[in-house]
Amino acid sequence: MANKFLVTIYHNPKCSTSRQVLAMIRTAGHAPDVIEYLKVGWTKKQLKELFAAAGLTPRQALRTKAAEAEELGLLDPKVSDAKLLDAMVAHPVLVERPFVVSAKGTLLARPKERVKEVL
């Protein structure tokens, strides 16, 4: 089936949720642009735009399960958004996954079924 519109997934192939969301996108007939953010990294501008489009704060997009979150003291609610963004740029694993961007919107696909909202 032809690509209905461009879908981008910020993907971690080691994450089962991310793999399942990627499969759901493909099953829906899309040929997504797959960005392995652990390999390519993030810029602060990119993260700000992604989180704003998804209606999330850096704190809400923080992968609290990542060991680095605790090691860097980022679980403290007093840590500023600026510090969180700096840490996410330095340690891409700190960004929760997967983010999906399409013509219908941007969201963090957790739970994975949320991806249907933008397909």
Side-chain angles (χ1 to χ4, degrees), residues 94-107:
L94 289 169
V95 178
E96 190 58 271
R97 59 191 177 246
F99 272 89
V100 179
V101 179
S102 81
K104 293 185 178 182
T106 299
L107 57 73

Side-chain angles (χ1 to χ4, degrees), residues 17 26 61 68 97:
T17 300
R26 288 180 171 151
E68 292 86 346
R97 59 191 177 246

Side-chain angles (χ1 to χ4, degrees), residues 19-99:
R19 289 192 310 268
Q20 291 166 0
V21 169
L22 178 56
M24 292 169 75
I25 293 167
R26 288 180 171 151
T27 298
H30 300 280
D33 184 16
V34 179
I35 298 174
E36 291 189 29
Y37 64 89
L38 292 179
K39 289 182 181 178
V40 300
W42 300 104
T43 66
K44 197 180 297 193
K45 179 179 185 287
Q46 182 183 34
L47 287 175
K48 284 181 179 181
E49 290 173 357
L50 186 66
F51 299 161
L56 297 173
T57 65
R59 166 104 18 229
Q60 291 168 318
L62 177 66
R63 182 162 179 79
T64 57
K65 292 179 185 175
E68 292 86 346
E70 186 172 350
E71 291 166 8
L72 297 170
L74 303 177
L75 300 179
D76 182 339
K78 295 178 186 146
V79 173
S80 70
D81 284 354
K83 184 171 179 182
L84 290 174
L85 286 168
D86 287 342
M88 290 169 166
V89 170
H91 306 277
V93 72
L94 289 169
V95 178
E96 190 58 271
R97 59 191 177 246
F99 272 89

Side-chain angles (χ1 to χ4, degrees), residues 9-25 63 65 96-100 108-115:
I9 179 172
Y10 292 90
H11 179 60
N12 177 351
K14 293 181 181 176
C15 171
S16 62
T17 300
S18 195
R19 289 192 310 268
Q20 291 166 0
V21 169
L22 178 56
M24 292 169 75
I25 293 167
R63 182 162 179 79
K65 292 179 185 175
E96 190 58 271
R97 59 191 177 246
F99 272 89
V100 179
L108 174 58
R110 284 193 172 263
K112 65 182 181 270
E113 292 78 15
R114 286 205 62 210
V115 75

